[in-house]
Amino acid sequence: QGLISTLFCHYQRMMYFTSACLGFGGYDEATTKLVISKLYDYFGDNFMLEVQPHNTEKQFNWNKYIKETSYELGIKMIAGMDSHAIDEESEKDRSNYILSKNIKYGDEEGWYLDFADYNTVVERFKSQGVLNDSEIKEAMENTLIIKDFEDIIINDDIKVPNIYPDKSYDER
């Protein structure tokens, strides 16, 4: 669960995959590095490491780890968002709805769940103090590859590699 956040789309007959948000980091550091390395070996530049602009210590630390790993393994970073609402007003509506259903997500404090504009996201990354201006710009620009996508074509030629072939599906 959470190994790959998203398959972006069909682009020049290629698929793009990103590491997930904080859910990707549920392993010890050595296992996380192994998974990242294996995914990059398999998908090459079609795999990117996701950073997010949330205002939490956990996100700061994760982004630091992603940045270090990006430089160490030569993997590009991409800016990701946990967009659960279009804007701040609809984010309030979502929060009220969730409360009315007695649903509690324990880790959303300090998260930005709106679909913010480019400049707002850049400012949020700057306030984290993890990525420098050029790293923020590159991660944001890597999200813009979507504007060049052609029609979506579902194709299952590329399979997610199984890095634990000796374990059952439930054990993985």
Side-chain angles (χ1 to χ4, degrees):
Q1 293 182 19
L3 279 184
I4 296 181
S5 169
T6 298
L7 102 86
F8 263 133
C9 197
H10 174 263
Y11 174 65
Q12 296 179 347
R13 305 232 179 268
M14 293 183 194
M15 309 292 265
Y16 285 85
F17 299 87
T18 70
S19 62
C21 51
L22 291 170
F24 188 88
Y27 309 99
D28 62 79
E29 193 169 322
T31 302
T32 301
K33 188 77 58 105
L34 173 67
V35 170
I36 288 171
S37 179
K38 294 252 184 214
L39 288 169
Y40 186 62
D41 288 347
Y42 190 81
F43 292 112
D45 289 336
N46 293 35
F47 176 71
M48 293 185 223
L49 296 172
E50 184 176 320
V51 290
Q52 292 196 8
H54 301 310
N55 186 22
T56 68
E57 184 176 345
K58 213 172 181 182
Q59 189 70 58
F60 299 154
N61 292 334
W62 181 247
N63 285 356
K64 286 177 188 175
Y65 176 79
I66 290 295
K67 178 178 173 174
E68 291 167 9
T69 303
S70 169
Y71 282 101
E72 180 184 335
L73 300 178
I75 304 172
K76 292 179 184 177
M77 290 183 284
I78 188 167
M81 313 300 149
D82 272 317
S83 300
H84 296 255
I86 299 299
D87 53 28
E88 289 182 27
E89 187 60 36
S90 60
E91 186 176 343
K92 290 176 191 171
D93 292 341
R94 174 189 176 267
S95 293
N96 289 334
Y97 175 76
I98 288 171
L99 286 174
S100 75
K101 297 292 184 184
N102 204 25
I103 299 170
K104 295 181 182 163
Y105 297 112
D107 229 7
E108 286 189 353
E109 188 69 35
W111 286 19
Y112 299 111
L113 301 177
D114 60 333
F115 190 74
D117 63 73
Y118 185 94
N119 291 332
T120 301
V121 175
V122 168
E123 287 306 312
R124 290 173 179 174
F125 273 119
K126 284 183 178 183
S127 72
Q128 281 183 344
V130 175
L131 305 177
N132 64 39
D133 289 347
S134 65
E135 292 162 341
I136 294 169
K137 182 179 179 192
E138 182 179 344
M140 292 293 288
E141 286 177 359
N142 284 334
T143 67
L144 298 178
I145 59 173
I146 197 166
K147 70 182 173 129
D148 296 325
F149 288 171
E150 298 173 12
D151 292 337
I152 297 173
I153 298 171
I154 305 298
N155 181 330
D156 61 1
D157 288 347
I158 298 176
K159 303 281 187 199
V160 176
N162 178 0
I163 62 169
Y164 301 107
D166 56 324
K167 295 189 178 187
S168 72
Y169 178 80
D170 289 336
E171 290 173 321
R172 290 191 303 258

